[in-house]
């Protein structure tokens, strides 16, 4: 009354959503199922009663009542099926609607993301990025050179490869010379020739002179 006196319209109730209608239809289908179960219980009682009755007016009366209950049961089952189908249709509509909304949000998000990507890409200078990559490659090369320099050996290698080969050849010809010289502490392997040259003959002759001559018996 106060709203009418001051000219204010009564707020209109919001329209029901597909979820609201689906929930209402589901509750209706459950109520119909309850009625069907009651009719099935009553129908089972009548059919059991007819088994123990003889043919006659009484049995026909019970049979007539059972037929009526069966007819009601079929009617409720058809109504329940229609209600469940309507509920399924509403669920499908709601699902499709939600999918469309999600798709729209996804597309809008993709558009916004693409716009931001283009904006950020404009801030980048491809030439500067390439220069940065070149500078990084130069720095890595210089760092490798520094590491190689720091890893260089300070030992002086004054031994000639030819002298080493000569020593090795002498050891192969007469290993006993190497071991005898090593025991006496007078090893000078670099002076040993690698082949049977004049120096080798002179060395051998010197060693033979140091040996005592055999006296005849």
């Amino acid at each position: 009354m106060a709203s009418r006196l001051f000219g204010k319209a009564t707020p209109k109730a919001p329209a029901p959503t597909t979820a609201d209608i689906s929930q209402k239809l589901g509750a209706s289908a459950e109520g119909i199922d309850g009625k069907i179960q009651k009719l099935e219980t009553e129908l089972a009682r009548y059919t059991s009663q007819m088994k123990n009755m003889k043919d006659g007016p009484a049995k026909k009366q019970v049979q007539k009542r059972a037929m009526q209950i069966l007819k009601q049961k079929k009617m409720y089952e058809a109504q329940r099926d229609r209600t469940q189908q309507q509920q399924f249709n509403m669920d499908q509509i709601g699902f499709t609607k939600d999918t469309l909304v999600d798709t729209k949000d996804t597309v809008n998000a993709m558009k916004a993301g693409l716009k931001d990507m283009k904006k950020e890409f404009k801030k980048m200078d491809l030439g500067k990025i390439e220069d940065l990559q070149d500078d990084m490659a130069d720095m890595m090369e210089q760092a490798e050179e520094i590491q190689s320099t720091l890893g260089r050996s300070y030992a002086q290698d004054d031994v000639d490869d030819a002298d080493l080969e000569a020593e090795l050849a002498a050891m192969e010809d007469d290993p006993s010379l190497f071991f005898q010289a090593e025991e006496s502490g007078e090893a000078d392997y670099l002076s040993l020739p690698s082949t049977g040259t004049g120096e080798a003959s002179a060395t051998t002759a010197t060693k033979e002179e140091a040996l005592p001559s055999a006296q005849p018996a």
Side-chain angles (χ1 to χ4, degrees), residues 110-147:
M110 292 175 64
K111 290 180 178 179
L114 181 60
K115 183 178 179 180
D116 293 338
M117 289 175 62
K118 291 181 178 179
K119 183 178 179 181
E120 294 298 328
F121 187 78
K122 290 180 179 180
K123 298 178 182 179
M124 298 182 182
D125 189 345
L126 184 58
K128 291 183 179 180
I129 295 175
E130 291 178 350
D131 293 341
L132 177 62
Q133 288 287 70
D134 294 339
D135 293 341
M136 288 295 296
D138 293 339
M139 290 298 297
M140 293 299 294
E141 184 176 355
Q142 294 177 10
E144 186 176 354
E145 292 179 358
I146 293 173
Q147 293 297 327

PDB file of all heavy atoms in Angstrom, residues 110-147:
ATOM      1  N   MET A 110      42.297 -14.153 -25.496  1.00  0.00           N
ATOM      2  CA  MET A 110      43.279 -14.313 -26.570  1.00  0.00           C
ATOM      3  C   MET A 110      43.536 -12.991 -27.279  1.00  0.00           C
ATOM      4  O   MET A 110      44.686 -12.655 -27.599  1.00  0.00           O
ATOM      5  CB  MET A 110      42.785 -15.372 -27.556  1.00  0.00           C
ATOM      6  CG  MET A 110      42.752 -16.786 -26.994  1.00  0.00           C
ATOM      7  SD  MET A 110      42.033 -17.972 -28.144  1.00  0.00           S
ATOM      8  CE  MET A 110      43.228 -17.911 -29.486  1.00  0.00           C
ATOM      9  N   LYS A 111      42.468 -12.226 -27.531  1.00  0.00           N
ATOM     10  CA  LYS A 111      42.632 -10.922 -28.172  1.00  0.00           C
ATOM     11  C   LYS A 111      43.471  -9.988 -27.311  1.00  0.00           C
ATOM     12  O   LYS A 111      44.368  -9.290 -27.800  1.00  0.00           O
ATOM     13  CB  LYS A 111      41.260 -10.300 -28.447  1.00  0.00           C
ATOM     14  CG  LYS A 111      40.466 -10.998 -29.544  1.00  0.00           C
ATOM     15  CD  LYS A 111      39.129 -10.303 -29.745  1.00  0.00           C
ATOM     16  CE  LYS A 111      38.328 -10.965 -30.873  1.00  0.00           C
ATOM     17  NZ  LYS A 111      37.016 -10.314 -31.074  1.00  0.00           N
ATOM     18  N   ALA A 112      43.170  -9.960 -26.009  1.00  0.00           N
ATOM     19  CA  ALA A 112      43.931  -9.094 -25.106  1.00  0.00           C
ATOM     20  C   ALA A 112      45.389  -9.526 -25.035  1.00  0.00           C
ATOM     21  O   ALA A 112      46.300  -8.685 -25.024  1.00  0.00           O
ATOM     22  CB  ALA A 112      43.299  -9.123 -23.707  1.00  0.00           C
ATOM     23  N   GLY A 113      45.621 -10.849 -24.998  1.00  0.00           N
ATOM     24  CA  GLY A 113      46.993 -11.339 -24.964  1.00  0.00           C
ATOM     25  C   GLY A 113      47.760 -10.998 -26.228  1.00  0.00           C
ATOM     26  O   GLY A 113      48.939 -10.615 -26.175  1.00  0.00           O
ATOM     27  N   LEU A 114      47.106 -11.126 -27.376  1.00  0.00           N
ATOM     28  CA  LEU A 114      47.753 -10.784 -28.647  1.00  0.00           C
ATOM     29  C   LEU A 114      48.081  -9.293 -28.706  1.00  0.00           C
ATOM     30  O   LEU A 114      49.157  -8.899 -29.189  1.00  0.00           O
ATOM     31  CB  LEU A 114      46.846 -11.184 -29.806  1.00  0.00           C
ATOM     32  CG  LEU A 114      47.384 -10.912 -31.215  1.00  0.00           C
ATOM     33  CD1 LEU A 114      48.690 -11.663 -31.444  1.00  0.00           C
ATOM     34  CD2 LEU A 114      46.334 -11.298 -32.260  1.00  0.00           C
ATOM     35  N   LYS A 115      47.178  -8.471 -28.214  1.00  0.00           N
ATOM     36  CA  LYS A 115      47.416  -7.023 -28.199  1.00  0.00           C
ATOM     37  C   LYS A 115      48.623  -6.685 -27.340  1.00  0.00           C
ATOM     38  O   LYS A 115      49.474  -5.863 -27.711  1.00  0.00           O
ATOM     39  CB  LYS A 115      46.163  -6.315 -27.683  1.00  0.00           C
ATOM     40  CG  LYS A 115      46.260  -4.807 -27.699  1.00  0.00           C
ATOM     41  CD  LYS A 115      44.957  -4.178 -27.209  1.00  0.00           C
ATOM     42  CE  LYS A 115      45.057  -2.654 -27.203  1.00  0.00           C
ATOM     43  NZ  LYS A 115      43.785  -2.032 -26.726  1.00  0.00           N
ATOM     44  N   ASP A 116      48.729  -7.329 -26.168  1.00  0.00           N
ATOM     45  CA  ASP A 116      49.868  -7.078 -25.280  1.00  0.00           C
ATOM     46  C   ASP A 116      51.167  -7.568 -25.917  1.00  0.00           C
ATOM     47  O   ASP A 116      52.217  -6.929 -25.780  1.00  0.00           O
ATOM     48  CB  ASP A 116      49.645  -7.770 -23.933  1.00  0.00           C
ATOM     49  CG  ASP A 116      48.491  -7.157 -23.153  1.00  0.00           C
ATOM     50  OD1 ASP A 116      48.149  -5.991 -23.432  1.00  0.00           O
ATOM     51  OD2 ASP A 116      47.927  -7.847 -22.288  1.00  0.00           O
ATOM     52  N   MET A 117      51.107  -8.726 -26.602  1.00  0.00           N
ATOM     53  CA  MET A 117      52.301  -9.247 -27.260  1.00  0.00           C
ATOM     54  C   MET A 117      52.810  -8.293 -28.335  1.00  0.00           C
ATOM     55  O   MET A 117      54.016  -8.040 -28.443  1.00  0.00           O
ATOM     56  CB  MET A 117      52.000 -10.622 -27.860  1.00  0.00           C
ATOM     57  CG  MET A 117      51.824 -11.733 -26.836  1.00  0.00           C
ATOM     58  SD  MET A 117      51.323 -13.303 -27.575  1.00  0.00           S
ATOM     59  CE  MET A 117      52.730 -13.620 -28.639  1.00  0.00           C
ATOM     60  N   LYS A 118      51.893  -7.761 -29.144  1.00  0.00           N
ATOM     61  CA  LYS A 118      52.291  -6.805 -30.176  1.00  0.00           C
ATOM     62  C   LYS A 118      52.886  -5.548 -29.557  1.00  0.00           C
ATOM     63  O   LYS A 118      53.874  -5.000 -30.066  1.00  0.00           O
ATOM     64  CB  LYS A 118      51.076  -6.436 -31.036  1.00  0.00           C
ATOM     65  CG  LYS A 118      50.578  -7.564 -31.921  1.00  0.00           C
ATOM     66  CD  LYS A 118      49.386  -7.111 -32.753  1.00  0.00           C
ATOM     67  CE  LYS A 118      48.912  -8.231 -33.692  1.00  0.00           C
ATOM     68  NZ  LYS A 118      47.742  -7.797 -34.494  1.00  0.00           N
ATOM     69  N   LYS A 119      52.305  -5.113 -28.455  1.00  0.00           N
ATOM     70  CA  LYS A 119      52.798  -3.913 -27.789  1.00  0.00           C
ATOM     71  C   LYS A 119      54.206  -4.129 -27.262  1.00  0.00           C
ATOM     72  O   LYS A 119      55.079  -3.260 -27.393  1.00  0.00           O
ATOM     73  CB  LYS A 119      51.843  -3.543 -26.650  1.00  0.00           C
ATOM     74  CG  LYS A 119      52.212  -2.275 -25.926  1.00  0.00           C
ATOM     75  CD  LYS A 119      51.181  -1.961 -24.838  1.00  0.00           C
ATOM     76  CE  LYS A 119      51.560  -0.683 -24.093  1.00  0.00           C
ATOM     77  NZ  LYS A 119      50.574  -0.373 -23.014  1.00  0.00           N
ATOM     78  N   GLU A 120      54.459  -5.275 -26.651  1.00  0.00           N
ATOM     79  CA  GLU A 120      55.781  -5.568 -26.121  1.00  0.00           C
ATOM     80  C   GLU A 120      56.785  -5.822 -27.240  1.00  0.00           C
ATOM     81  O   GLU A 120      57.972  -5.489 -27.108  1.00  0.00           O
ATOM     82  CB  GLU A 120      55.707  -6.780 -25.193  1.00  0.00           C
ATOM     83  CG  GLU A 120      54.890  -6.560 -23.923  1.00  0.00           C
ATOM     84  CD  GLU A 120      55.485  -5.475 -23.042  1.00  0.00           C
ATOM     85  OE1 GLU A 120      56.721  -5.333 -23.038  1.00  0.00           O
ATOM     86  OE2 GLU A 120      54.724  -4.774 -22.367  1.00  0.00           O
ATOM     87  N   PHE A 121      56.328  -6.420 -28.329  1.00  0.00           N
ATOM     88  CA  PHE A 121      57.235  -6.717 -29.435  1.00  0.00           C
ATOM     89  C   PHE A 121      57.754  -5.437 -30.085  1.00  0.00           C
ATOM     90  O   PHE A 121      58.895  -5.389 -30.560  1.00  0.00           O
ATOM     91  CB  PHE A 121      56.520  -7.585 -30.473  1.00  0.00           C
ATOM     92  CG  PHE A 121      57.425  -8.082 -31.562  1.00  0.00           C
ATOM     93  CD1 PHE A 121      58.284  -9.150 -31.335  1.00  0.00           C
ATOM     94  CD2 PHE A 121      57.428  -7.486 -32.810  1.00  0.00           C
ATOM     95  CE1 PHE A 121      59.121  -9.606 -32.333  1.00  0.00           C
ATOM     96  CE2 PHE A 121      58.267  -7.929 -33.814  1.00  0.00           C
ATOM     97  CZ  PHE A 121      59.116  -8.999 -33.579  1.00  0.00           C
ATOM     98  N   LYS A 122      56.917  -4.408 -30.097  1.00  0.00           N
ATOM     99  CA  LYS A 122      57.344  -3.136 -30.681  1.00  0.00           C
ATOM    100  C   LYS A 122      58.475  -2.507 -29.871  1.00  0.00           C
ATOM    101  O   LYS A 122      59.259  -1.718 -30.388  1.00  0.00           O
ATOM    102  CB  LYS A 122      56.152  -2.175 -30.761  1.00  0.00           C
ATOM    103  CG  LYS A 122      55.114  -2.574 -31.797  1.00  0.00           C
ATOM    104  CD  LYS A 122      53.958  -1.576 -31.818  1.00  0.00           C
ATOM    105  CE  LYS A 122      52.927  -1.961 -32.866  1.00  0.00           C
ATOM    106  NZ  LYS A 122      51.784  -1.008 -32.900  1.00  0.00           N
ATOM    107  N   LYS A 123      58.556  -2.853 -28.585  1.00  0.00           N
ATOM    108  CA  LYS A 123      59.604  -2.295 -27.737  1.00  0.00           C
ATOM    109  C   LYS A 123      60.959  -2.968 -27.977  1.00  0.00           C
ATOM    110  O   LYS A 123      61.978  -2.468 -27.498  1.00  0.00           O
ATOM    111  CB  LYS A 123      59.222  -2.440 -26.262  1.00  0.00           C
ATOM    112  CG  LYS A 123      57.949  -1.701 -25.881  1.00  0.00           C
ATOM    113  CD  LYS A 123      57.622  -1.935 -24.417  1.00  0.00           C
ATOM    114  CE  LYS A 123      56.329  -1.238 -24.014  1.00  0.00           C
ATOM    115  NZ  LYS A 123      55.998  -1.484 -22.586  1.00  0.00           N
ATOM    116  N   MET A 124      60.973  -4.081 -28.665  1.00  0.00           N
ATOM    117  CA  MET A 124      62.205  -4.826 -28.888  1.00  0.00           C
ATOM    118  C   MET A 124      62.868  -4.406 -30.186  1.00  0.00           C
ATOM    119  O   MET A 124      62.187  -4.145 -31.183  1.00  0.00           O
ATOM    120  CB  MET A 124      61.911  -6.335 -28.926  1.00  0.00           C
ATOM    121  CG  MET A 124      61.356  -6.891 -27.648  1.00  0.00           C
ATOM    122  SD  MET A 124      61.088  -8.673 -27.748  1.00  0.00           S
ATOM    123  CE  MET A 124      60.384  -9.002 -26.129  1.00  0.00           C
ATOM    124  N   ASP A 125      64.212  -4.313 -30.157  1.00  0.00           N
ATOM    125  CA  ASP A 125      65.017  -3.972 -31.330  1.00  0.00           C
ATOM    126  C   ASP A 125      65.778  -5.223 -31.746  1.00  0.00           C
ATOM    127  O   ASP A 125      66.672  -5.694 -31.022  1.00  0.00           O
ATOM    128  CB  ASP A 125      65.978  -2.837 -31.005  1.00  0.00           C
ATOM    129  CG  ASP A 125      66.673  -2.305 -32.264  1.00  0.00           C
ATOM    130  OD1 ASP A 125      66.622  -2.990 -33.304  1.00  0.00           O
ATOM    131  OD2 ASP A 125      67.273  -1.214 -32.195  1.00  0.00           O
ATOM    132  N   LEU A 126      65.412  -5.773 -32.894  1.00  0.00           N
ATOM    133  CA  LEU A 126      66.035  -7.013 -33.353  1.00  0.00           C
ATOM    134  C   LEU A 126      67.534  -6.826 -33.577  1.00  0.00           C
ATOM    135  O   LEU A 126      68.333  -7.726 -33.294  1.00  0.00           O
ATOM    136  CB  LEU A 126      65.355  -7.494 -34.639  1.00  0.00           C
ATOM    137  CG  LEU A 126      65.828  -8.844 -35.195  1.00  0.00           C
ATOM    138  CD1 LEU A 126      65.628  -9.937 -34.163  1.00  0.00           C
ATOM    139  CD2 LEU A 126      65.088  -9.175 -36.485  1.00  0.00           C
ATOM    140  N   GLY A 127      67.925  -5.645 -34.070  1.00  0.00           N
ATOM    141  CA  GLY A 127      69.346  -5.385 -34.288  1.00  0.00           C
ATOM    142  C   GLY A 127      70.127  -5.420 -32.986  1.00  0.00           C
ATOM    143  O   GLY A 127      71.234  -5.974 -32.924  1.00  0.00           O
ATOM    144  N   LYS A 128      69.565  -4.840 -31.933  1.00  0.00           N
ATOM    145  CA  LYS A 128      70.239  -4.844 -30.643  1.00  0.00           C
ATOM    146  C   LYS A 128      70.342  -6.263 -30.085  1.00  0.00           C
ATOM    147  O   LYS A 128      71.347  -6.612 -29.442  1.00  0.00           O
ATOM    148  CB  LYS A 128      69.478  -3.955 -29.660  1.00  0.00           C
ATOM    149  CG  LYS A 128      69.553  -2.471 -29.996  1.00  0.00           C
ATOM    150  CD  LYS A 128      68.837  -1.643 -28.951  1.00  0.00           C
ATOM    151  CE  LYS A 128      68.935  -0.152 -29.266  1.00  0.00           C
ATOM    152  NZ  LYS A 128      68.243   0.676 -28.256  1.00  0.00           N
ATOM    153  N   ILE A 129      69.327  -7.059 -30.322  1.00  0.00           N
ATOM    154  CA  ILE A 129      69.369  -8.447 -29.844  1.00  0.00           C
ATOM    155  C   ILE A 129      70.477  -9.219 -30.560  1.00  0.00           C
ATOM    156  O   ILE A 129      71.222  -9.991 -29.941  1.00  0.00           O
ATOM    157  CB  ILE A 129      68.007  -9.122 -30.057  1.00  0.00           C
ATOM    158  CG1 ILE A 129      66.931  -8.450 -29.194  1.00  0.00           C
ATOM    159  CG2 ILE A 129      68.080 -10.609 -29.731  1.00  0.00           C
ATOM    160  CD1 ILE A 129      65.538  -8.975 -29.423  1.00  0.00           C
ATOM    161  N   GLU A 130      70.609  -8.990 -31.879  1.00  0.00           N
ATOM    162  CA  GLU A 130      71.677  -9.661 -32.627  1.00  0.00           C
ATOM    163  C   GLU A 130      73.050  -9.190 -32.154  1.00  0.00           C
ATOM    164  O   GLU A 130      73.983  -9.995 -32.020  1.00  0.00           O
ATOM    165  CB  GLU A 130      71.498  -9.390 -34.116  1.00  0.00           C
ATOM    166  CG  GLU A 130      70.270 -10.072 -34.719  1.00  0.00           C
ATOM    167  CD  GLU A 130      70.094  -9.742 -36.185  1.00  0.00           C
ATOM    168  OE1 GLU A 130      70.813  -8.832 -36.670  1.00  0.00           O
ATOM    169  OE2 GLU A 130      69.244 -10.373 -36.832  1.00  0.00           O
ATOM    170  N   ASP A 131      73.185  -7.871 -31.892  1.00  0.00           N
ATOM    171  CA  ASP A 131      74.454  -7.361 -31.369  1.00  0.00           C
ATOM    172  C   ASP A 131      74.765  -7.977 -30.013  1.00  0.00           C
ATOM    173  O   ASP A 131      75.936  -8.297 -29.710  1.00  0.00           O
ATOM    174  CB  ASP A 131      74.392  -5.836 -31.242  1.00  0.00           C
ATOM    175  CG  ASP A 131      74.302  -5.153 -32.607  1.00  0.00           C
ATOM    176  OD1 ASP A 131      74.645  -5.800 -33.612  1.00  0.00           O
ATOM    177  OD2 ASP A 131      73.852  -3.981 -32.657  1.00  0.00           O
ATOM    178  N   LEU A 132      73.748  -8.140 -29.205  1.00  0.00           N
ATOM    179  CA  LEU A 132      73.943  -8.755 -27.893  1.00  0.00           C
ATOM    180  C   LEU A 132      74.429 -10.195 -28.032  1.00  0.00           C
ATOM    181  O   LEU A 132      75.337 -10.629 -27.308  1.00  0.00           O
ATOM    182  CB  LEU A 132      72.628  -8.704 -27.097  1.00  0.00           C
ATOM    183  CG  LEU A 132      72.643  -9.370 -25.717  1.00  0.00           C
ATOM    184  CD1 LEU A 132      73.648  -8.678 -24.808  1.00  0.00           C
ATOM    185  CD2 LEU A 132      71.243  -9.333 -25.096  1.00  0.00           C
ATOM    186  N   GLN A 133      73.851 -10.919 -28.983  1.00  0.00           N
ATOM    187  CA  GLN A 133      74.285 -12.296 -29.217  1.00  0.00           C
ATOM    188  C   GLN A 133      75.739 -12.333 -29.687  1.00  0.00           C
ATOM    189  O   GLN A 133      76.519 -13.199 -29.256  1.00  0.00           O
ATOM    190  CB  GLN A 133      73.373 -12.946 -30.267  1.00  0.00           C
ATOM    191  CG  GLN A 133      71.972 -13.255 -29.780  1.00  0.00           C
ATOM    192  CD  GLN A 133      71.950 -14.441 -28.833  1.00  0.00           C
ATOM    193  OE1 GLN A 133      72.420 -14.376 -27.718  1.00  0.00           O
ATOM    194  NE2 GLN A 133      71.408 -15.554 -29.307  1.00  0.00           N
ATOM    195  N   ASP A 134      76.127 -11.399 -30.569  1.00  0.00           N
ATOM    196  CA  ASP A 134      77.512 -11.351 -31.042  1.00  0.00           C
ATOM    197  C   ASP A 134      78.468 -11.025 -29.898  1.00  0.00           C
ATOM    198  O   ASP A 134      79.549 -11.617 -29.788  1.00  0.00           O
ATOM    199  CB  ASP A 134      77.643 -10.304 -32.152  1.00  0.00           C
ATOM    200  CG  ASP A 134      76.867 -10.698 -33.410  1.00  0.00           C
ATOM    201  OD1 ASP A 134      76.584 -11.907 -33.565  1.00  0.00           O
ATOM    202  OD2 ASP A 134      76.537  -9.801 -34.216  1.00  0.00           O
ATOM    203  N   ASP A 135      78.067 -10.057 -29.061  1.00  0.00           N
ATOM    204  CA  ASP A 135      78.916  -9.710 -27.916  1.00  0.00           C
ATOM    205  C   ASP A 135      79.085 -10.895 -26.970  1.00  0.00           C
ATOM    206  O   ASP A 135      80.185 -11.135 -26.436  1.00  0.00           O
ATOM    207  CB  ASP A 135      78.314  -8.518 -27.164  1.00  0.00           C
ATOM    208  CG  ASP A 135      78.361  -7.238 -27.993  1.00  0.00           C
ATOM    209  OD1 ASP A 135      79.157  -7.183 -28.956  1.00  0.00           O
ATOM    210  OD2 ASP A 135      77.591  -6.305 -27.688  1.00  0.00           O
ATOM    211  N   MET A 136      78.011 -11.633 -26.763  1.00  0.00           N
ATOM    212  CA  MET A 136      78.083 -12.803 -25.896  1.00  0.00           C
ATOM    213  C   MET A 136      79.020 -13.856 -26.481  1.00  0.00           C
ATOM    214  O   MET A 136      79.810 -14.484 -25.759  1.00  0.00           O
ATOM    215  CB  MET A 136      76.680 -13.389 -25.701  1.00  0.00           C
ATOM    216  CG  MET A 136      75.769 -12.552 -24.830  1.00  0.00           C
ATOM    217  SD  MET A 136      76.348 -12.439 -23.127  1.00  0.00           S
ATOM    218  CE  MET A 136      76.225 -14.161 -22.638  1.00  0.00           C
ATOM    219  N   ALA A 137      78.968 -14.042 -27.801  1.00  0.00           N
ATOM    220  CA  ALA A 137      79.856 -15.013 -28.447  1.00  0.00           C
ATOM    221  C   ALA A 137      81.312 -14.578 -28.313  1.00  0.00           C
ATOM    222  O   ALA A 137      82.202 -15.410 -28.041  1.00  0.00           O
ATOM    223  CB  ALA A 137      79.475 -15.163 -29.920  1.00  0.00           C
ATOM    224  N   ASP A 138      81.593 -13.272 -28.467  1.00  0.00           N
ATOM    225  CA  ASP A 138      82.956 -12.769 -28.313  1.00  0.00           C
ATOM    226  C   ASP A 138      83.448 -12.957 -26.880  1.00  0.00           C
ATOM    227  O   ASP A 138      84.605 -13.355 -26.648  1.00  0.00           O
ATOM    228  CB  ASP A 138      83.019 -11.283 -28.692  1.00  0.00           C
ATOM    229  CG  ASP A 138      82.761 -11.060 -30.183  1.00  0.00           C
ATOM    230  OD1 ASP A 138      82.927 -12.034 -30.956  1.00  0.00           O
ATOM    231  OD2 ASP A 138      82.378  -9.932 -30.559  1.00  0.00           O
ATOM    232  N   MET A 139      82.598 -12.678 -25.934  1.00  0.00           N
ATOM    233  CA  MET A 139      82.983 -12.836 -24.538  1.00  0.00           C
ATOM    234  C   MET A 139      83.280 -14.293 -24.204  1.00  0.00           C
ATOM    235  O   MET A 139      84.235 -14.599 -23.482  1.00  0.00           O
ATOM    236  CB  MET A 139      81.869 -12.306 -23.630  1.00  0.00           C
ATOM    237  CG  MET A 139      81.694 -10.800 -23.656  1.00  0.00           C
ATOM    238  SD  MET A 139      83.154  -9.909 -23.071  1.00  0.00           S
ATOM    239  CE  MET A 139      83.227 -10.498 -21.379  1.00  0.00           C
ATOM    240  N   MET A 140      82.491 -15.202 -24.732  1.00  0.00           N
ATOM    241  CA  MET A 140      82.726 -16.624 -24.490  1.00  0.00           C
ATOM    242  C   MET A 140      84.058 -17.051 -25.103  1.00  0.00           C
ATOM    243  O   MET A 140      84.807 -17.837 -24.515  1.00  0.00           O
ATOM    244  CB  MET A 140      81.572 -17.440 -25.074  1.00  0.00           C
ATOM    245  CG  MET A 140      80.238 -17.240 -24.375  1.00  0.00           C
ATOM    246  SD  MET A 140      80.286 -17.718 -22.632  1.00  0.00           S
ATOM    247  CE  MET A 140      80.555 -19.477 -22.800  1.00  0.00           C
ATOM    248  N   GLU A 141      84.369 -16.531 -26.302  1.00  0.00           N
ATOM    249  CA  GLU A 141      85.630 -16.876 -26.949  1.00  0.00           C
ATOM    250  C   GLU A 141      86.811 -16.334 -26.144  1.00  0.00           C
ATOM    251  O   GLU A 141      87.820 -17.028 -25.951  1.00  0.00           O
ATOM    252  CB  GLU A 141      85.647 -16.307 -28.366  1.00  0.00           C
ATOM    253  CG  GLU A 141      86.878 -16.701 -29.169  1.00  0.00           C
ATOM    254  CD  GLU A 141      86.820 -16.190 -30.595  1.00  0.00           C
ATOM    255  OE1 GLU A 141      85.781 -15.610 -30.972  1.00  0.00           O
ATOM    256  OE2 GLU A 141      87.815 -16.374 -31.321  1.00  0.00           O
ATOM    257  N   GLN A 142      86.698 -15.098 -25.644  1.00  0.00           N
ATOM    258  CA  GLN A 142      87.763 -14.534 -24.834  1.00  0.00           C
ATOM    259  C   GLN A 142      87.937 -15.289 -23.524  1.00  0.00           C
ATOM    260  O   GLN A 142      89.066 -15.515 -23.065  1.00  0.00           O
ATOM    261  CB  GLN A 142      87.471 -13.058 -24.551  1.00  0.00           C
ATOM    262  CG  GLN A 142      87.511 -12.175 -25.790  1.00  0.00           C
ATOM    263  CD  GLN A 142      87.137 -10.732 -25.488  1.00  0.00           C
ATOM    264  OE1 GLN A 142      87.030 -10.344 -24.330  1.00  0.00           O
ATOM    265  NE2 GLN A 142      86.940  -9.935 -26.539  1.00  0.00           N
ATOM    266  N   ALA A 143      86.823 -15.691 -22.933  1.00  0.00           N
ATOM    267  CA  ALA A 143      86.899 -16.457 -21.691  1.00  0.00           C
ATOM    268  C   ALA A 143      87.593 -17.797 -21.919  1.00  0.00           C
ATOM    269  O   ALA A 143      88.375 -18.262 -21.084  1.00  0.00           O
ATOM    270  CB  ALA A 143      85.499 -16.670 -21.123  1.00  0.00           C
ATOM    271  N   GLU A 144      87.320 -18.423 -23.060  1.00  0.00           N
ATOM    272  CA  GLU A 144      87.972 -19.692 -23.380  1.00  0.00           C
ATOM    273  C   GLU A 144      89.474 -19.489 -23.567  1.00  0.00           C
ATOM    274  O   GLU A 144      90.282 -20.322 -23.133  1.00  0.00           O
ATOM    275  CB  GLU A 144      87.344 -20.280 -24.647  1.00  0.00           C
ATOM    276  CG  GLU A 144      87.861 -21.667 -24.984  1.00  0.00           C
ATOM    277  CD  GLU A 144      87.149 -22.260 -26.179  1.00  0.00           C
ATOM    278  OE1 GLU A 144      86.188 -21.632 -26.668  1.00  0.00           O
ATOM    279  OE2 GLU A 144      87.558 -23.341 -26.628  1.00  0.00           O
ATOM    280  N   GLU A 145      89.882 -18.392 -24.203  1.00  0.00           N
ATOM    281  CA  GLU A 145      91.305 -18.108 -24.375  1.00  0.00           C
ATOM    282  C   GLU A 145      91.980 -17.878 -23.020  1.00  0.00           C
ATOM    283  O   GLU A 145      93.107 -18.333 -22.791  1.00  0.00           O
ATOM    284  CB  GLU A 145      91.478 -16.884 -25.269  1.00  0.00           C
ATOM    285  CG  GLU A 145      91.059 -17.115 -26.725  1.00  0.00           C
ATOM    286  CD  GLU A 145      91.225 -15.857 -27.569  1.00  0.00           C
ATOM    287  OE1 GLU A 145      91.621 -14.821 -26.992  1.00  0.00           O
ATOM    288  OE2 GLU A 145      90.956 -15.933 -28.782  1.00  0.00           O
ATOM    289  N   ILE A 146      91.285 -17.178 -22.143  1.00  0.00           N
ATOM    290  CA  ILE A 146      91.840 -16.946 -20.803  1.00  0.00           C
ATOM    291  C   ILE A 146      92.023 -18.255 -20.062  1.00  0.00           C
ATOM    292  O   ILE A 146      93.071 -18.506 -19.432  1.00  0.00           O
ATOM    293  CB  ILE A 146      90.937 -15.980 -20.015  1.00  0.00           C
ATOM    294  CG1 ILE A 146      90.970 -14.587 -20.648  1.00  0.00           C
ATOM    295  CG2 ILE A 146      91.357 -15.898 -18.552  1.00  0.00           C
ATOM    296  CD1 ILE A 146      89.986 -13.609 -20.033  1.00  0.00           C
ATOM    297  N   GLN A 147      91.047 -19.125 -20.121  1.00  0.00           N
ATOM    298  CA  GLN A 147      91.143 -20.422 -19.455  1.00  0.00           C
ATOM    299  C   GLN A 147      92.278 -21.248 -20.029  1.00  0.00           C
ATOM    300  O   GLN A 147      92.990 -21.950 -19.306  1.00  0.00           O
ATOM    301  CB  GLN A 147      89.804 -21.173 -19.579  1.00  0.00           C
ATOM    302  CG  GLN A 147      88.652 -20.536 -18.829  1.00  0.00           C
ATOM    303  CD  GLN A 147      88.886 -20.512 -17.331  1.00  0.00           C
ATOM    304  OE1 GLN A 147      89.510 -21.411 -16.781  1.00  0.00           O
ATOM    305  NE2 GLN A 147      88.403 -19.460 -16.678  1.00  0.00           N
TER     306      GLN A 147
END
